[in-house]
Amino acid sequence: MASVDGKWALITGSSRGIGQQIAMGLAAGGCHVILHARRVEHLDQTMALLSAASVNIHRVAGDVGTAEGRSAIVQGVREGPNQVDILYNNAAIMSPWKELWDISEADWQQTFAVNLFGLVELCRALVPGMWSRNFGRVINVSSGIKDIPQLAPYSVSKAAVEKYTADLAAELRGSNVLVNALDPGWLKTDLGGPGADYEVETVLPGALVPALLDEGGESGTVFRAQDYRVGRARS
Ligand SMILES: NC(=O)c1ccc[n+]([C@@H]2O[C@H](COP(=O)([O-])OP(=O)(O)OC[C@H]3O[C@@H](n4cnc5c(N)ncnc54)[C@H](OP(=O)(O)O)[C@@H]3O)[C@@H](O)[C@H]2O)c1
């Protein structure tokens, strides 16, 4: 298993929830982290949690659902380490709960802008640098959601995330840039809600597995964080 020690990781949506856990997990492995949220002040809690970590921390802000927000994020990276070795595309929104027939085009547009186009454009901006440096790990956060038509824009956006992940992996085949998706499990976060199956901490250590792959490791697959849950019975 490779080490993340000394690498730079951008974790989108690391102000709370799953992204915050991933940032802490990567930092515990010696990885320098670029934290991200829509506004830099949203990152105060994560900064406090990382106060004892002996890694470099840089902060960027921007709405991944808009071109301006994505430009601000990329500009923020350039003004900081100017390098991303691990891109953890985690930021996303849940679409509003509506009967399928009531879901508007605007609902679809907004969900796809944040959950799909944000991630596609960040890959387009940052993956060529990984390719030229011959190292990169891209992890796109997906979901195991199914058969909930009231949340169709969200679930369809995540299906598209997995398809894009496979296409990007195919484009990069033979290089040392590995691209995978992560299904974190249903977790108690602002997005997952209080009735979710598991605590948010259970996303670790599984969420780190696709970041720790050796050269030649899997690419284009979906990792399931709950398969690595501490204390989970192995079959
Ligand atoms: N929780 C679950 O049960 C579950 C299950 C399957 C998949 N997932 C996926 O896991 C990922 C994280 O979910 P979570 O439960 O941790 O969500 P969360 O607690 O709601 O956190 C969302 C994060 O994304 C950021 N964000 C939201 N909208 C954004 C935008 N337009 N532009 C930039 N950043 C934005 C938020 O930053 P701000 O501080 O700026 O709001 C926050 O850091 C998502 O991809 C989600 O689809 C979650």
Side-chain angles (χ1 to χ4, degrees):
M1 197 170 264
S3 165
V4 294
D5 190 46
K7 304 286 188 198
W8 273 101
L10 167 60
I11 310 103
T12 67
S14 41
S15 57
R16 52 193 159 96
I18 292 167
Q20 186 178 70
Q21 293 295 316
I22 292 168
M24 291 196 295
L26 288 168
C31 190
H32 306 306
V33 289
I34 306 170
L35 304 177
H36 160 266
R38 284 171 298 169
R39 298 172 65 90
V40 80
E41 54 269 30
H42 294 184
L43 295 167
D44 290 351
Q45 188 193 48
T46 310
M47 289 294 289
L49 289 168
L50 287 171
S51 59
S54 53
V55 297
N56 296 323
I57 302 171
H58 183 66
R59 291 176 294 172
V60 298
D63 185 338
V64 298
T66 69
E68 301 73 37
R70 296 188 287 261
S71 294
I73 295 166
V74 174
Q75 186 60 27
V77 169
R78 295 213 169 104
E79 288 165 2
N82 196 22
Q83 175 168 334
V84 173
D85 305 303
I86 299 163
L87 172 57
Y88 224 119
N89 281 308
N90 165 78
I93 52 169
M94 180 57 78
S95 51
W97 181 277
K98 289 186 182 178
E99 291 308 314
L100 185 70
W101 315 113
D102 295 332
I103 298 172
S104 67
E105 182 174 342
D107 293 327
W108 286 93
Q109 299 268 15
Q110 176 60 15
T111 307
F112 270 65
V114 176
N115 294 7
L116 181 68
F117 305 149
L119 157 169
V120 168
E121 288 302 302
L122 286 181
C123 285
R124 212 154 66 89
L126 299 171
V127 170
M130 296 177 180
W131 203 4
S132 64
R133 291 188 298 273
N134 196 36
F135 181 90
R137 300 290 179 265
V138 179
I139 305 104
N140 298 325
V141 179
S142 181
S143 169
I145 190 171
K146 62 174 185 171
D147 298 339
I148 306 181
Q150 296 85 353
L151 298 175
Y154 176 79
S155 60
V156 177
S157 75
K158 293 299 189 179
V161 164
E162 291 190 13
K163 197 72 177 164
Y164 175 73
T165 299
D167 280 350
L168 183 59
E171 174 68 22
L172 295 165
R173 193 164 293 137
S175 79
N176 190 21
V177 182
L178 307 178
V179 187
N180 290 290
L182 179 91
D183 170 6
W186 188 23
L187 307 181
K188 297 185 207 311
T189 64
D190 292 347
L191 186 149
D197 288 337
Y198 305 113
E199 300 298 329
V200 68
E201 291 81 5
T202 64
V203 79
L204 298 178
L208 302 181
V209 174
L212 288 165
L213 293 170
D214 284 316
E215 184 168 5
E218 292 104 311
S219 194
T221 65
V222 182
F223 286 81
R224 301 193 193 284
Q226 297 303 319
D227 287 352
Y228 303 87
R229 192 175 69 245
V230 175
R232 177 180 184 271
R234 306 271 167 199
S235 52

